Amino acid sequence: MDKILVLDFGGQYNQLIARRVRSLNVYAEIKSFDHISVSKIKETGYKGIIFTGGPNSVYDERSPHYSKDILELNIPILGICYGDQLLAYMTNGKIVSAKNNSEYGRTELINQGGKLLEGVPDKSICWMSHTDYIKDVPEGFKITGTTKSCPCAAMENINKNFYGVQFHPEVTHTEYGMKILSNFIFDVCKCHPDWKMEDFAKSSIEKYKKELADKRVLLGLSGGLDSSVVALLLHKAIGKNLICVFVDHGLLRKDEGDYVEKIFKDKFDVNLIRVDAKNRFLTKLKGITEPEAKRKIIGKEFIEVFRTEAKKIGNIDVLSQGTIYPDVIESGKGSSAVIKSHHNVGGLPKDIGFKSIVEPLRDLFKDEVRAIGLELGLPEELVYRQPFPGPGLAVRIIGEITEEKIRIAQDSDAILREEFKKNGLDKLANQYFTVVTNTQSVGVMGDARTYGYTLALRAVTTDDFMTATWTRVPYEILEHISSRITNEVKGINRVTYDITSKPPATVEWE
Ligand code: XMP
């Protein structure tokens, strides 16, 4: 199998580069520049190397550098952004700072002709993000692309097979980015497009068979896609030595706890411990109405339950987590304001005695995880299901959480999901659920007065859940759902539809 090395110098799009290469059916792996030696690169037999973006200036002593011996390996190199400048620096080009003239965002690229930009029109849009630029190209290189303010937006030395682009071909804003990457991968590196996502599953299973042989591994299974995929992957590798703990906090969707247990225990024979912790959670949540306080209690209690179970199990060597790449980026955001304290099965206690952590999906994006899930035989229903927050229905119950409100949330949500599926709206909305508001109002049923809760329906359409618009659900379907819920769910006498986008609202109500 042909492999590309993405040599990581700390840029923000590095995973995206690897993902784009993988989407061309060639395997790409990311290694930090300080975690792989030249001899290891040689030994692995990569067909090509991509230097990623990174911090601002190659002249800054703190910026990452790499041994020049890499240039002697006779392996094609493509430098991107900082990687481009680093390549120029290592081959004696001149880089200068354009402090007052940095380029950022959409920029017109003029193709000057060359191997890397073959097939790219004379003028196209690329995505720039830099302050420094290459003023003098190194000997043996020629300039193959320019922009208004960047004299060397692309360069190449076809004798050595060294290529560089100042812009980011991996982002979709660069119109011909995939063409450029594919020119490098296929025309320069001569890779064969014979890698498939299924190969990732196979090679991971082989890898963990060896790495985790005779080790006891603990995994927090939530029933969501990511931890489910990890469970199956590791189960195939180490069988019963994988112990999955599924904490049922009583705030799951209707019948969900049973469903998760059935799939993993009965269908796949996974070593699963289901902890029924509903009472523990409800006791802690009694009388609490403030959203953040609820979230914090649930997060903390979750860790406590997990810790107790881990102690009971004892002798754990490795903790595994279903972290995927977007989680890694999100947790790296650092200084952004806390809108909601998210809690996931990730972030588990470090004091339960394990020696290391294994995160098999850490480099992958959601759609890649889905492909592996399908390959491993996870039911489509689970693979494609809408996201469900860690604190569960708690973020959909306003005010105090009571048994009655949980029942209302579960029963109404089940009706909404059934109707969305029946009417094909599950394809239009990316997330849909009901919210038990804390508002009660007067209604009439038969000849009697009722005083029940108002239920809100919420459905959003979004790519990334960072922004979202409310889904245009036809009136007749809303009417039907409203009528079913008021008839079938005791305690609800009024239904509303939330027509707010994100921002200013968030997807969940709490
Ligand atoms: P918001 O409400 O922040 O939600 O617009 C965006 C997406 O994140 C999900 N969400 C969570 N997921 N733990 C999670 O795993 C959480 O604490 C959490 N809170 C919100 C939400 O369902 C939506 O998909």
Side-chain angles (χ1 to χ4, degrees):
M1 174 178 82
D2 294 340
K3 269 193 201 176
I4 295 290
L5 170 66
V6 177
L7 197 57
D8 183 354
F9 291 104
Q12 46 177 328
Y13 301 122
N14 302 350
Q15 290 292 341
L16 202 51
I17 299 173
R19 179 208 182 135
R20 297 282 183 243
V21 176
R22 293 196 294 257
S23 77
L24 293 168
N25 295 112
V26 174
Y27 188 65
E29 62 189 11
I30 302 176
K31 299 273 179 204
S32 175
F33 75 98
D34 52 358
H35 275 90
I36 188 162
S37 62
V38 174
S39 55
K40 182 75 188 166
I41 294 177
K42 189 173 176 187
E43 183 192 316
T44 310
Y46 293 105
K47 297 277 283 196
I49 301 170
I50 299 180
F51 286 4
T52 75
N56 257 350
S57 174
V58 288
Y59 294 115
D60 181 343
E61 276 179 15
R62 287 158 303 172
S63 63
H65 285 256
Y66 201 76
S67 163
K68 278 192 184 179
D69 294 347
I70 196 171
L71 305 174
E72 308 304 325
L73 292 177
N74 219 359
I75 302 176
I77 297 176
L78 169 64
I80 294 177
C81 196
Y82 174 84
D84 175 39
Q85 294 168 9
L86 185 66
L87 180 63
Y89 177 80
M90 289 166 80
T91 46
N92 303 321
K94 187 169 178 203
I95 293 98
V96 295
S97 176
K99 277 202 180 72
N100 301 321
N101 202 15
S102 53
E103 271 181 315
Y104 184 81
R106 291 165 59 87
T107 309
E108 190 175 72
L109 171 71
I110 319 281
N111 184 358
Q112 308 278 7
K115 195 164 175 174
L116 190 70
L117 269 52
E118 178 75 44
V120 176
D122 293 348
K123 287 180 180 174
S124 65
I125 295 300
C126 70
W127 184 261
M128 283 286 195
S129 171
H130 69 113
T131 302
D132 287 5
Y133 68 92
I134 298 168
K135 184 162 181 287
D136 298 328
V137 288
E139 210 183 304
F141 280 76
K142 75 167 193 164
I143 292 174
T144 57
T146 55
T147 71
K148 206 162 136 236
S149 19
C150 186
C152 174
M155 63 173 192
E156 64 191 34
N157 177 340
I158 50 170
N159 294 327
K160 293 259 182 202
N161 263 335
F162 293 157
Y163 301 79
V165 285
Q166 181 58 65
F167 54 89
H168 288 274
E170 69 278 19
V171 304
T172 46
H173 309 281
T174 297
E175 283 178 305
Y176 289 85
M178 280 310 282
K179 174 73 183 143
I180 293 167
L181 285 176
S182 104
N183 286 349
F184 179 68
I185 301 298
F186 299 120
D187 299 343
V188 176
C189 302
K190 311 279 182 217
C191 287
H192 298 282
D194 53 10
W195 181 82
K196 298 180 289 312
M197 207 61 217
E198 299 94 80
D199 297 340
F200 179 91
K202 276 193 210 120
S203 60
S204 296
I205 293 168
E206 286 312 311
K207 178 173 126 186
Y208 291 122
K209 255 186 198 161
K210 287 188 206 120
E211 258 177 39
L212 300 175
D214 304 321
K215 298 232 162 65
R216 275 158 60 87
V217 180
L218 183 68
L219 169 73
L221 181 74
S222 69
L225 174 69
D226 309 336
S227 61
S228 297
V229 169
V230 173
L232 288 193
L233 207 62
L234 294 185
H235 174 70
K236 290 200 188 235
I238 59 169
K240 295 283 175 187
N241 270 347
L242 170 73
I243 306 151
C244 297
V245 171
F246 170 44
V247 176
D248 182 347
H249 49 28
L251 295 157
L252 298 171
R253 282 171 288 205
K254 194 173 183 174
D255 301 327
E256 187 164 20
D258 296 341
Y259 175 75
V260 171
E261 191 169 352
K262 200 167 113 224
I263 298 278
F264 288 94
K265 260 192 170 161
D266 302 351
K267 185 168 158 69
F268 293 111
D269 196 26
V270 166
N271 193 354
L272 174 83
I273 299 170
R274 176 175 173 184
V275 188
D276 179 1
K278 181 174 179 181
N279 289 338
R280 268 183 83 149
F281 278 87
L282 287 194
T283 309
K284 286 269 159 51
L285 288 166
K286 201 166 171 45
I288 309 293
T289 55
E290 208 275 314
E292 272 301 285
K294 286 196 232 170
R295 279 177 169 270
K296 294 230 163 78
I297 289 172
I298 294 170
K300 196 163 158 266
E301 198 54 21
F302 192 92
I303 289 175
E304 280 311 312
V305 175
F306 198 82
R307 181 185 280 127
T308 311
E309 283 311 307
K311 291 231 164 91
K312 273 195 225 157
I313 296 163
N315 294 334
I316 295 154
D317 301 297
V318 179
L319 180 76
S320 184
Q321 299 190 147
T323 318
I324 67 169
Y325 185 63
D327 303 333
V328 180
I329 321 179
E330 262 182 34
S331 53
K333 273 185 188 161
S335 56
S336 56
V338 175
I339 310 294
K340 296 177 184 183
S341 39
H342 276 212
H343 118 88
N344 284 317
V345 182
L348 287 172
K350 308 280 179 274
D351 60 350
I352 53 177
F354 56 88
K355 296 174 196 83
S356 57
I357 296 191
V358 159
E359 296 177 315
L361 311 178
R362 203 182 159 82
D363 289 343
L364 303 184
F365 287 80
K366 203 75 171 182
D367 53 341
E368 297 181 312
V369 177
R370 284 206 179 94
I372 300 175
L374 290 176
E375 171 64 18
L376 293 171
L378 264 189
E380 279 199 16
E381 192 184 332
L382 204 154
V383 170
Y384 289 107
R385 96 182 163 161
Q386 50 169 329
F388 187 66
L393 298 177
V395 298
R396 300 172 182 173
I397 294 174
I398 313 304
E400 186 179 3
I401 296 169
T402 60
E403 295 255 15
E404 188 201 9
K405 281 168 152 177
I406 295 176
R407 174 191 53 80
I408 292 175
Q410 286 179 331
D411 290 350
S412 57
D413 174 74
I415 293 173
L416 181 82
R417 280 190 287 138
E418 187 187 324
E419 291 299 330
F420 263 49
K421 191 162 183 203
K422 208 190 290 169
N423 292 288
L425 285 169
D426 55 341
K427 309 275 179 306
L428 188 63
N430 301 94
Q431 201 171 6
Y432 42 98
F433 49 87
T434 60
V435 179
V436 187
T437 74
N438 212 22
T439 298
Q440 286 177 286
S441 71
V442 175
V444 56
M445 210 172 252
D447 286 331
R449 175 187 193 270
T450 59
Y451 191 56
Y453 285 110
T454 300
L455 188 88
L457 311 178
R458 178 79 164 138
V460 294
T461 302
T462 172
D463 286 332
D464 56 7
F465 297 91
M466 305 293 281
T467 59
T469 49
W470 58 278
T471 308
R472 271 49 177 179
V473 179
Y475 286 166
E476 311 75 58
I477 298 175
L478 284 174
E479 185 179 23
H480 181 62
I481 294 171
S482 164
S483 150
R484 271 198 67 188
I485 288 176
T486 46
N487 279 313
E488 296 172 38
V489 183
K490 195 164 163 283
I492 295 294
N493 65 356
R494 198 175 291 272
V495 175
T496 65
Y497 185 51
D498 181 349
I499 51 164
T500 334
S501 292
K502 172 183 179 177
T506 51
V507 176
E508 305 286 353
W509 273 37
E510 285 201 343

